[in-house]
Amino acid sequence: MATRQSVEQFIQQCEDTLRNAHAQYSEAKQLEHYNDTEFTNAQEQIETTYNDLMHLSASCNAQQREQLNRMRLQLQSLQNDMTLLRH
């Protein structure tokens, strides 16, 4: 079973990933091909965080799983937006 502290730390990591990816997405919308490396790194970070989330959710209780599910939806939404951006 995942501890409350480990889930909270992971949620913080997810929020950091989302902040970074949102920044890269906004920059990419404005600058187009200027920041390809950072944009790609942000996409990779989302994918890694998503995979870690799926592993962690397997050992969580129902309340923790619900928190992680909401975070998963945010990650997937941003990942889709970044994929669809004509960058």
Side-chain angles (χ1 to χ4, degrees):
M1 165 128 349
T3 65
R4 186 179 65 132
Q5 182 180 8
S6 66
V7 172
E8 287 175 3
Q9 287 174 344
F10 186 75
I11 296 240
Q12 182 63 45
Q13 178 187 337
C14 290
E15 290 171 352
D16 293 342
T17 297
L18 286 168
R19 259 191 303 280
N20 178 47
H22 273 294
Q24 293 303 320
Y25 178 74
S26 295
E27 192 173 321
K29 282 174 56 175
Q30 295 172 0
L31 302 176
E32 295 182 7
H33 293 284
Y34 179 71
N35 66 337
D36 283 341
T37 303
E38 292 87 359
F39 187 84
T40 302
N41 288 344
Q43 286 180 305
E44 290 174 358
Q45 187 179 15
I46 289 174
E47 185 67 25
T48 301
T49 302
Y50 177 83
N51 290 336
D52 292 345
L53 184 147
M54 297 309 290
H55 290 309
L56 181 61
S57 68
S59 62
C60 291
N61 64 33
Q63 180 182 3
Q64 292 168 331
R65 209 173 354 268
E66 179 61 31
Q67 286 180 299
L68 292 176
N69 187 47
R70 281 188 247 119
M71 192 58 64
R72 179 187 62 81
L73 294 173
Q74 291 179 44
L75 289 168
Q76 283 182 316
S77 176
L78 183 54
Q79 186 177 40
N80 289 340
D81 291 344
M82 292 179 86
T83 300
L84 295 174
L85 180 65
R86 292 188 181 264
H87 180 255

